[in-house]
Amino acid sequence: MIWKTRRRSEGAGKLCFFEEGQGTPLVLIHGVGLQAEAWSAVLPHLSSRFRVMAVDMPGHGQSPLQESRTLGAFTDRFAAFICALDQPVFLAGHSMGALLAVELAAILRDRIRAIVALNTVFGRTQTATDAVQARAHALIREGAGDPGATLQRWFGANPDDHVKEASDACREWLTHPNSKGYAAAYRIFAHQDGPDAVQLARVSCPALFMTGAEDPNSTPQMSQALATACGGTSQVLQQAAHMLPMTHPKDLSAALISQFSLDPTAS
Amino acid sequence: MEFSLFAHMERLTPDEPQDRLYQDFIGLCKMADEGGMRALWTGEHHGMEFTIAPNPFTTLADVAHHTKNLRLGTGTVVVPFWHPIKLAGEAAMTDLMTGGRLEIGAARGAYSYEYERMMPGMDAWDAGQRMRETLPLVRQLWQGDCAHKGDYYSFPATTSAPKPAQPDGPPIWVAARDPNSHEFAVHNGFHVQVTPLWQGMSEITALMDRFNAACDSHTGKRPKIMLLHHSYVAADDADAERAANELSRYYNYFGAWFQNKRPVQQGLIEEIGAADMAANKMMSPENLARDLTIGTARDVIDRVKRYEDMGYDEFSFWIDSGMTTERKRASLSRFIDDVMPAFA
């Protein structure tokens, strides 16, 4: 079973992670409501080339929330995690993880060699903003509830085979969340309209913004705009939507390997 | 609403003699003083002709002798470049020399260009961590017999010599952007300075929201918050449009220094061509005309009233722009004569 829960270690910043492979660290940050296993389908393609480290966000998986309630607090914990490693890292993030990846690239200039930001939000419409903030408030007020609507948004109404397995794994994670952690992260994600323009201007490492053509909330136009704002590149995967790490692991792995080989000092 | 001037000696092209640039800067400080502004803020930069300001304490000590009432603020000291004992001592000395007129604006620094020269290997995150360790120590050193053992600094019991002239020391303001930095400032009893840089109302609102959130989670007295923004008070719409173009050019250069990818020679960054500037949509004259505090006196009054209504205590007129001194003086003069009285 691809998505089964794996044993973790604890890293700096009080963040839990599991790892596979050797070489330059490749740190992976999942999105709201999930956990490090979201990367499980991608891991086998990468662990022959990198020391892949899939990290639980604060309040997710086994990483305690502590008092982290702001984007800065989340960023600080990942910064501590990355700074404690023995060399500069490659970094990839999905959705809220992508937001964190951009923030980290801005403030940890020489410690991050390149980033890949997947399904990144940037400049929501008012309608989209109202919708995501309503979901955040509902989550805070009422707790997780049935994840059916979320899963449908992520995986479509009738997912088949592998995608259905992925959807079931997400159902499990969303049905038994650390509710404070989920709510805290969702709140940040709902109120932060993508990476800050000033932070984007600080990003100097190679940056790839990748999304699915059918992702309604982290659109190809957003990824293009992000790439333009920081001198990076963008890529759109056809017939793909929001959950790239789980639905398109092969395409995603190829893109990651390509991006992280662009670095002239790559091992 | 109080008003201050944010100014430095600046250069965008190689031609002007530097003593003239310095006199231009002093001239603006005198205008601010005579015009009744509360303060001058001037900061710290290294190795760049774009903003010439290696030590704000030196500059402020000189400005003190050209002005009478203006409060004199560091806008900002780059805290990670200063040992806490040095920072406390030089601040106290400047406070003494200026008769107790000093205020401290403190930041972690904006430019990786400076980090890689002054402290190779330090990044923005380390710089922030250093600032959080250093700033609380400054007050303790002014009080005296402060011993410290920390991540970045350790020293046996030390007292700042001299002590500041002001009884509790100069007021301290912290440059804040993300929610963490607002929390750090507010929870440590510092005032807050924010700037949306080239951005406009939505960022100005977001910054105030973060400040308010930090104040809500703190039981002490609400500190002050200052908004720093590029301003130009125009004679007419054509003049405002010209200013938007000049500020667009300025922000293109700012962006170039910030990204730190273009070559620099003799402290000047490689010239940016018209085509590259045109391609920078984010900092287009149209965007800046909409977003910066630019317009006729009436327009500027309306904008500043909105900032006041949001809860900003002080508005700082950022005048560094690459404009001629004549244009800067004309704009500042209109601000003092036509805008400030609306807030008296």
Side-chain angles (χ1 to χ4, degrees):
Chain A
M1 245 276 279
I2 304 178
W3 310 110
K4 79 171 201 293
T5 305
R6 300 170 61 141
R7 275 191 56 212
R8 278 124 164 95
S9 313
E10 189 182 286
K14 283 242 178 302
L15 293 175
C16 291
F17 68 99
F18 61 82
E19 61 180 313
E20 207 174 282
Q22 286 166 333
T24 307
L26 164 46
V27 177
L28 300 172
I29 309 178
H30 64 81
V32 179
L34 307 182
Q35 53 193 60
E37 280 80 5
W39 301 98
S40 293
V42 168
L43 227 80
H45 301 285
L46 300 173
S47 54
S48 56
R49 296 164 187 262
F50 306 99
R51 177 188 172 198
V52 188
M53 306 174 78
V55 189
D56 289 327
M57 265 209 306
H60 294 64
Q62 284 173 34
S63 292
L65 179 62
Q66 301 196 305
E67 285 312 305
S68 308
R69 296 191 189 281
T70 61
L71 181 61
F74 274 50
T75 308
D76 278 354
R77 288 178 65 180
F78 278 99
F81 182 88
I82 289 169
C83 289
L85 298 175
D86 59 358
Q87 57 181 291
V89 308
F90 295 116
L91 179 60
H94 175 238
S95 198
M96 179 156 167
L99 172 59
L100 287 165
V102 173
E103 291 281 319
L104 290 160
I107 63 173
L108 295 181
R109 198 173 170 103
D110 294 327
R111 286 197 175 101
I112 294 180
R113 291 165 68 166
I115 61 168
V116 172
L118 301 167
N119 304 94
T120 321
V121 166
F122 188 49
R124 290 185 176 104
T125 61
Q126 192 57 53
T127 315
T129 300
D130 292 342
V132 75
Q133 288 185 2
R135 289 197 294 271
H137 295 149
L139 195 54
I140 293 164
R141 271 197 327 268
E142 299 155 16
D146 184 83
T150 302
L151 294 172
Q152 190 160 321
R153 212 168 52 244
W154 288 351
F155 298 106
N158 288 306
D160 55 16
D161 293 335
H162 305 301
V163 181
K164 173 97 179 28
E165 260 187 74
S167 174
D168 288 343
C170 287
R171 175 176 287 278
E172 184 60 29
W173 299 332
L174 293 172
T175 314
H176 302 111
N178 171 338
S179 50
K180 276 206 185 127
Y182 187 16
Y186 212 107
R187 192 151 181 269
I188 294 168
F189 183 60
H191 288 93
Q192 182 76 28
D193 196 24
D196 170 78
V198 177
Q199 294 294 61
L200 274 166
R202 281 189 212 265
V203 173
S204 62
C205 68
L208 169 64
F209 295 89
M210 189 169 164
T211 194
E214 284 150 37
D215 188 335
N217 291 320
S218 349
T219 63
Q221 290 76 10
M222 290 175 178
S223 283
Q224 176 61 61
L226 285 159
T228 305
C230 68
T233 53
S234 66
Q235 195 175 329
V236 181
L237 215 49
Q238 294 306 313
Q239 291 170 334
H242 187 63
M243 296 301 288
L244 290 187
M246 299 180 83
T247 58
H248 291 74
K250 281 218 188 90
D251 293 304
L252 176 52
S253 305
L256 287 169
I257 289 166
S258 172
Q259 177 69 4
F260 298 143
S261 308
L262 284 178
D263 178 5
T265 59
S267 51
Chain B
M1 177 74 107
E2 307 236 57
F3 295 99
S4 54
L5 179 70
F6 188 85
H8 301 75
M9 188 176 152
E10 65 161 340
R11 175 195 296 287
L12 258 74
T13 55
D15 34 302
E16 283 190 293
Q18 58 184 23
D19 52 351
R20 172 137 36 102
L21 295 177
Y22 187 68
Q23 289 313 314
D24 291 344
F25 162 71
I26 292 290
L28 293 170
C29 295
K30 286 160 99 149
M31 280 182 74
D33 186 40
E34 286 152 25
M37 283 185 152
R38 188 190 79 82
L40 163 78
W41 297 95
T42 196
E44 177 181 357
H45 291 287
H46 301 281
M48 49 171 65
E49 292 279 323
F50 181 66
T51 311
I52 302 168
N55 187 333
F57 296 122
T58 316
T59 310
L60 291 172
D62 191 37
V63 173
H65 295 108
H66 292 282
T67 56
K68 291 205 182 76
N69 302 308
L70 216 49
R71 299 280 298 167
L72 305 160
T74 66
T76 48
V77 278
V78 181
V79 178
F81 295 163
W82 293 79
H83 188 284
I85 296 173
K86 203 160 187 296
L87 181 56
E90 293 212 27
M93 192 67 167
T94 309
D95 198 38
L96 186 59
M97 286 173 170
T98 62
R101 290 161 66 184
L102 184 67
E103 305 208 355
I104 303 284
R108 68 173 176 187
Y111 293 113
S112 64
Y113 175 88
E114 293 178 343
Y115 291 163
E116 68 193 22
R117 281 160 177 75
M118 305 291 287
M119 296 188 67
M122 185 180 75
D123 51 35
W125 191 70
D126 287 326
Q129 300 294 98
R130 281 178 178 267
M131 184 175 78
R132 283 168 203 224
E133 183 170 321
T134 300
L135 268 187
L137 293 172
V138 170
R139 280 201 178 126
Q140 292 170 44
L141 286 159
W142 288 336
Q143 275 151 27
D145 298 317
C146 165
H148 178 70
K149 206 156 188 285
D151 294 332
Y152 297 105
Y153 305 103
S154 295
F155 46 84
T158 307
T159 303
S160 170
K163 288 191 177 175
Q166 294 174 78
D168 297 320
I172 300 178
W173 304 65
V174 172
R177 169 174 308 283
D178 63 37
N180 261 7
S181 50
H182 285 266
E183 280 175 29
F184 166 73
V186 172
H187 297 181
N188 279 282
F190 302 132
H191 302 299
V192 169
Q193 299 181 322
V194 298
T195 179
L197 291 170
W198 64 87
Q199 297 164 96
M201 230 28 182
S202 66
E203 180 69 3
I204 291 172
T205 308
L207 290 163
M208 178 53 81
D209 288 344
R210 284 174 218 160
F211 177 71
N212 282 330
C215 292
D216 288 342
S217 62
H218 178 62
T219 48
K221 189 174 165 203
R222 183 185 173 91
K224 292 197 251 183
I225 177 165
M226 177 187 107
L227 174 65
L228 168 66
H229 210 208
H230 269 95
S231 309
Y232 184 85
V233 186
D236 52 40
D237 290 343
D239 187 28
E241 196 182 318
R242 182 172 166 190
N245 278 287
E246 288 163 324
L247 286 163
S248 173
R249 176 169 177 269
Y250 180 85
Y251 267 109
N252 269 277
Y253 277 93
F254 173 85
W257 280 103
F258 199 59
Q259 294 208 304
N260 193 19
K261 286 180 184 162
R262 292 176 87 93
V264 174
Q265 222 175 359
Q266 292 291 310
L268 283 165
I269 204 161
E270 186 187 61
E271 194 176 321
I272 304 177
D276 284 338
M277 289 210 221
N280 185 345
K281 301 274 180 255
M282 191 164 60
M283 287 153 179
S284 68
E286 294 72 35
N287 283 355
L288 299 189
R290 177 194 66 211
D291 291 336
L292 295 180
T293 305
I294 303 176
T296 58
R298 182 75 256 161
D299 296 329
V300 172
I301 289 171
D302 288 344
R303 286 190 200 243
V304 177
K305 284 260 179 221
R306 287 178 70 186
Y307 309 148
E308 186 181 50
D309 290 342
M310 272 188 219
Y312 285 101
D313 299 294
E314 180 168 316
F315 180 75
S316 197
F317 187 122
W318 192 345
I319 204 164
D320 304 322
S321 52
M323 290 180 193
T324 63
T325 297
E326 293 71 34
R327 284 178 64 70
K328 288 181 188 177
R329 291 179 67 93
S331 164
L332 183 58
S333 179
R334 285 186 285 259
F335 190 83
I336 289 167
D337 294 341
D338 304 333
V339 173
M340 282 171 61
F343 297 85

